[in-house]
Amino acid sequence: MNSSLDTNNNVIDHLGQLTQMLHNCLSELGHDQRLQQASIGVSSSKDGLAYVVNKTTQAAECSLLAIENAKPILENLAANATNLHKLWHQMPEITVTAIADHPVLNNTLKQTLDFLNDIPEQTSSTQAYLTEIMVAQNFHDLTSQVIQKITHMIETIEQEMQQLLAEENSTKKEASIEKRNDLMNGPVINPLKQDDVYANQEQVDNLLTKLGF
Amino acid sequence: MTDKNLRFLVVDDFSTMRRIIRNLLKDLGFNNVEEAEDGAMALKKLRDSNFDFVVSDWNMPNMDGLTMLQNVRADSALKDIPVLMVTAEAKKENIIAAAQAGANGYIVKPFTAATLDEKLNKILQNMAVHA
């Protein structure tokens, strides 16, 4: 425990020295202005990410609303078709015979009944497609979580740059290394680059089974 | 035959995700669904009224899903409510921690309607067996 604390302190000291060196170099080379420009760049990239979050939120909400509105229309369509189909089958025998006597009318009726009969199946496949579109909107949750993390990182960099710009003695400041919460990492961006992640449901299920849950 | 009147609490800080899960539950015939946007609000709702099932995210502000689950299991009035975790957290430690804390299922995001259906039914069947 103590040795890892010592190592940490050494790293922090080292980082402090490096920062001081960087700071001195920048001042000597007159790079303060460039730093200011970079700082503006950092700030505008933050705005860019906020824009992405905003637009994807709108798009996801718009899609969900459209799907929620479309589903009852399909349900009604199927119910009405089934009902109409049933009504035709309840026609008195005499009407059926009369229609059967007119080949054109009879043919049209047959086509209409087939059409009505097919509607529920077609609306139910459409419903399934709508469900797929709806579930696909979970991209919004995942991408926003990733963007939130990046934005947080940019804010930290931004603060550091501003402090550097303020020409304070940066060695005095202790680098505040935020403790990484190992259980809140957000979505897996690249499963091949991360060990120990179970990014698909089958892997999760296998692990739980293996552990006896 | 599952009781379609089961009362669900969907816990997620993203309204889009709550809405997706709510709609999927509706497709499965469950219309009695409430929402909470973090673990703390969920616990309050769970303590204030009766729920039969919790579907929860992990990474949320104020109180995360694991802490909420631990609180639920530690509360004598709530401890038996099934909790299904639906989260983007996909590390081995996460899955083990959730299972050890007493999660009834673990779904990793992004998920499909079929996965939710399957996990939900598995839990409901277990409930029926132990009822």
Side-chain angles (χ1 to χ4, degrees):
Chain A
M1 227 18 209
N2 272 339
S3 73
S4 87
L5 210 70
D6 286 349
T7 319
N8 277 345
N9 284 337
N10 282 339
V11 171
I12 291 168
D13 283 350
H14 207 131
L15 273 174
Q17 284 163 16
L18 280 175
T19 315
Q20 181 68 59
M21 268 169 66
L22 180 68
H23 180 72
N24 293 342
C25 285
L26 284 169
S27 302
E28 280 169 27
L29 293 166
H31 280 195
D32 289 19
Q33 223 168 3
R34 283 197 200 172
L35 204 59
Q36 198 140 24
Q37 278 169 353
S39 175
I40 294 166
V42 165
S43 176
S44 92
S45 66
K46 215 173 65 182
D47 291 346
L49 290 176
Y51 177 82
V52 173
V53 170
N54 193 9
K55 287 293 164 196
T56 51
T57 304
Q58 277 177 16
E61 278 174 358
C62 176
S63 309
L64 287 175
L65 186 66
I67 292 161
E68 283 162 7
N69 288 336
K71 287 203 156 204
I73 298 176
L74 289 173
E75 278 162 26
N76 268 336
L77 188 63
N80 287 340
T82 308
N83 192 36
L84 235 106
H85 192 264
K86 207 171 77 192
L87 286 178
W88 272 109
H89 278 286
Q90 287 167 352
M91 280 290 163
E93 193 61 38
I94 188 162
T95 321
V96 179
T97 326
I99 293 171
D101 287 342
H102 293 79
V104 177
L105 187 58
N106 196 35
N107 188 31
T108 310
L109 177 61
K110 197 184 165 304
Q111 282 186 43
T112 309
L113 287 178
D114 286 346
F115 172 67
L116 291 174
N117 192 41
D118 287 346
I119 284 181
E121 201 181 301
Q122 286 169 346
T123 54
S124 99
S125 359
T126 315
Q127 294 269 21
Y129 286 128
L130 285 179
T131 303
E132 266 182 51
I133 300 172
M134 182 185 74
V135 176
Q137 303 310 310
N138 72 30
F139 84 89
H140 171 242
D141 175 347
L142 301 175
T143 53
S144 301
Q145 282 191 54
V146 173
I147 291 177
Q148 265 176 13
K149 270 179 83 172
I150 298 173
T151 306
H152 187 73
M153 209 167 70
I154 290 176
E155 273 167 1
T156 314
I157 295 171
E158 199 181 20
Q159 277 169 16
E160 293 298 323
M161 285 178 105
Q162 273 162 3
Q163 278 172 3
L164 209 60
L165 274 172
E167 288 215 337
E168 287 170 33
N169 191 352
S170 38
T171 43
K172 277 185 187 162
K173 275 186 215 80
E174 281 194 34
S176 63
I177 297 169
E178 201 181 309
K179 191 178 169 287
R180 201 164 137 257
N181 191 334
D182 258 332
L183 289 175
M184 293 219 218
N185 299 296
V188 180
I189 301 170
N190 187 349
L192 298 176
K193 278 194 182 169
Q194 280 174 267
D195 291 333
D196 232 18
V197 294
Y198 292 72
N200 75 53
Q201 190 60 40
E202 206 187 329
Q203 293 172 327
V204 173
D205 292 347
N206 287 341
L207 174 66
L208 287 171
T209 311
K210 216 165 71 190
L211 295 169
F213 288 108
Chain B
M1 192 53 201
T2 317
D3 179 6
K4 295 293 181 192
N5 288 318
L6 286 178
R7 190 147 181 254
F8 282 79
L9 183 63
V10 176
V11 194
D12 201 305
D13 52 334
F14 276 87
S15 66
T16 20
M17 188 51 74
R18 293 200 301 270
R19 216 157 143 187
I20 290 169
I21 295 174
R22 176 194 276 273
N23 282 323
L24 287 174
L25 289 172
K26 198 175 160 197
D27 284 349
L28 296 171
F30 301 106
N31 286 303
N32 203 350
V33 181
E34 292 256 338
E35 298 177 13
E37 54 190 76
D38 61 50
M41 286 179 75
L43 265 186
K44 191 181 180 311
K45 287 201 169 196
L46 287 168
R47 284 176 178 145
D48 286 351
S49 66
N50 289 320
F51 283 93
D52 304 302
F53 206 109
V54 179
V55 180
S56 179
D57 185 22
W58 186 308
N59 196 345
M60 294 177 287
N62 299 321
M63 185 192 280
D64 64 76
L66 182 71
T67 312
M68 182 208 71
L69 172 62
Q70 287 161 341
N71 275 287
V72 166
R73 292 295 176 251
D75 186 320
S76 60
L78 305 175
K79 65 178 174 43
D80 294 324
I81 300 179
V83 177
L84 173 60
M85 298 295 292
V86 180
T87 170
E89 302 301 331
K91 285 179 84 176
K92 187 178 179 179
E93 296 98 279
N94 286 96
I95 303 163
I96 296 174
Q100 284 173 343
N104 299 71
Y106 198 101
I107 294 180
V108 61
K109 289 177 187 170
F111 61 99
T112 63
T115 304
L116 181 70
D117 189 11
E118 183 205 323
K119 301 297 164 203
L120 203 69
N121 276 316
K122 203 171 143 194
I123 298 171
L124 293 173
Q125 274 164 16
N126 281 339
M127 275 166 76
V129 170
H130 294 107

